[in-house]
Amino acid sequence: MDFVDKLGHFIRLLTIPDLADMLIVAVVIYKLLKVIRHTNAERLAKGIILLLLAVQAASWMKLQTIWFLLDQVMRVGPIAFVIIFQPELRKMLEQFGRSKLPFLRRGALGDAQTLQMSIVRTVEAVGSMAWSKTGALIVFERGENLDHIVKTGSTIDAEVNPELLKNIFFNKAPLHDGAVVISQGRVKAAGCLLPLSANLNISKELGTRHRAAVGMSENSDALCVVVSEETGSISMAEGGMLKRHLATETLERLLVNGLMPAEEKEPSGGLFAKLRGKKK
C-alpha cells in the first residue's frame, strides 16, 4: 500500500514537460537498442550492464577492494561509452536526421511517369538476369541523397534500359561487381561500393551482394534489389530487412509502393499495362 501511495503521489506531481522528458529519453534508448541489436555492439552493451551489476554487488557485499577498482573503471565510463559506441551513435544520429516529409521525398524521386517506366524496365531486366543467373545489385535513391555512394563508382547518367542493366552486370563487364544507383528514374552510376551490414543474423548462405544491400538499406532509406548469381533468386532490402525469393510481379509492387507517392500511382490498365502490351 505504501508503494501504491507513493506511486499515486508521483503521478499527481507529473507535468506535461515531465512526460515529454520521459518520452524523449525512452525514444532515444529505443533507437539506440534498435541500432545495436544483432551487432557486435550488442555484446559490448551486455558487458557494460554486467559491469554495472558487479559494482552494485561489490558495494552490497562490502568488497571494498573490488568496489574501489570497479568504481575507478566506471569513472571513465561516459568517455569509454562514446568511444566504444561511436559508429552506433553516429548511425542513430543519421537516422534522426533523415527527412520523411512527403514533399521533400516527392522532389527527390522525380517525375511520376519517368519513375513508372524505370520500374517496369528494371523489373524486366531483373527478371531476365534471374533467369540467366546473372548477379546484380541495384540501388534506388529515395529521400536521402546518395552522392557519396555515386562518387565511388563510374558516372553514367542514362535512361533506365533493360539492355543497359544487363550489359553492366554481364559477368565479364568491368563494372559488374559493383552496384548500380538509380536516381529520379535514371541510371546515375555503376560499379559503386556499398557499406556491408554488420548484422550477425544474416544467413551464412548469402553472399557479399546481399550483405551490401542490407548494409545500404540500414545506412539510408534506399531500396536495394539483388539478383543471386548462384540461384537466380530475387531479393529486396529496405530498412535493414531483406525480402527474399520474390516474383517479378511482387518486386514491381514493392518498388511502386516504395518509390511512388500514393496519389501518383497508376491505376490498373495505366502506364504499366501499356508498357507490357508494347513488349508483347
Side-chain angles (χ1 to χ4, degrees), residues 12 19 41 46 69 80 82-84 96 153 155 161 192 197 207 211 220 223 235 250-251 255 262 268 273 280:
R12 285 194 296 272
L19 292 173
K46 290 178 181 177
L69 293 174
V82 173
I83 294 173
I84 292 172
F96 274 126
T155 302
N161 184 293
C192 300
S197 174
R211 189 169 289 275
S220 72
L223 297 180
S235 305
T250 306
L251 175 64
L255 290 176
S268 60
K280 290 178 181 177

Side-chain angles (χ1 to χ4, degrees), residues 26-191:
V27 170
V28 170
I29 293 174
Y30 170 75
K31 287 286 186 182
L32 184 59
L33 291 175
K34 189 176 178 181
V35 168
I36 68 173
R37 187 168 174 261
H38 302 316
T39 66
N40 291 327
E42 183 178 13
R43 284 177 283 185
L44 291 173
K46 290 178 181 177
I48 291 174
I49 293 172
L50 289 174
L51 186 61
L52 290 170
L53 292 175
V55 171
Q56 289 299 319
S59 176
W60 292 333
M61 297 173 68
K62 308 297 183 183
L63 304 175
Q64 297 300 327
T65 304
I66 296 176
W67 179 86
F68 174 78
L69 293 174
L70 292 175
D71 184 61
Q72 295 305 308
V73 172
M74 295 306 298
R75 287 181 187 275
V76 296
I79 299 174
F81 180 86
V82 173
I83 294 173
I84 292 172
F85 293 104
Q86 185 269 338
E88 285 72 24
L89 292 171
R90 179 177 176 178
K91 183 177 176 181
M92 184 179 69
L93 291 173
E94 287 175 349
Q95 289 181 352
F96 274 126
R98 287 178 191 161
S99 173
K100 298 293 184 183
L101 297 177
F103 65 88
L104 288 177
R105 186 176 163 186
R106 193 176 293 122
L109 290 173
D111 174 71
Q113 185 171 336
T114 304
L115 277 172
Q116 289 173 330
M117 294 180 68
S118 68
I119 290 171
V120 171
R121 291 169 178 174
T122 300
V123 171
E124 180 185 346
V126 167
S128 178
M129 289 186 287
W131 180 82
S132 62
K133 294 186 179 179
T134 301
L137 177 53
I138 302 171
V139 178
F140 283 89
E141 183 183 74
R142 294 206 284 182
E144 189 170 340
N145 189 285
L146 299 182
D147 282 349
H148 62 293
I149 298 296
V150 169
K151 289 176 182 176
T152 65
S154 300
T155 302
I156 294 180
D157 191 22
E159 288 186 357
V160 177
N161 184 293
E163 300 306 320
L164 173 62
L165 292 175
K166 287 187 283 186
N167 283 335
I168 289 173
F169 290 112
F170 177 61
N171 62 5
K172 296 191 186 314
L175 300 177
H176 81 280
D177 275 335
V180 163
V181 176
I182 296 178
S183 175
Q184 298 186 1
R186 295 179 64 84
V187 178
K188 201 167 186 180

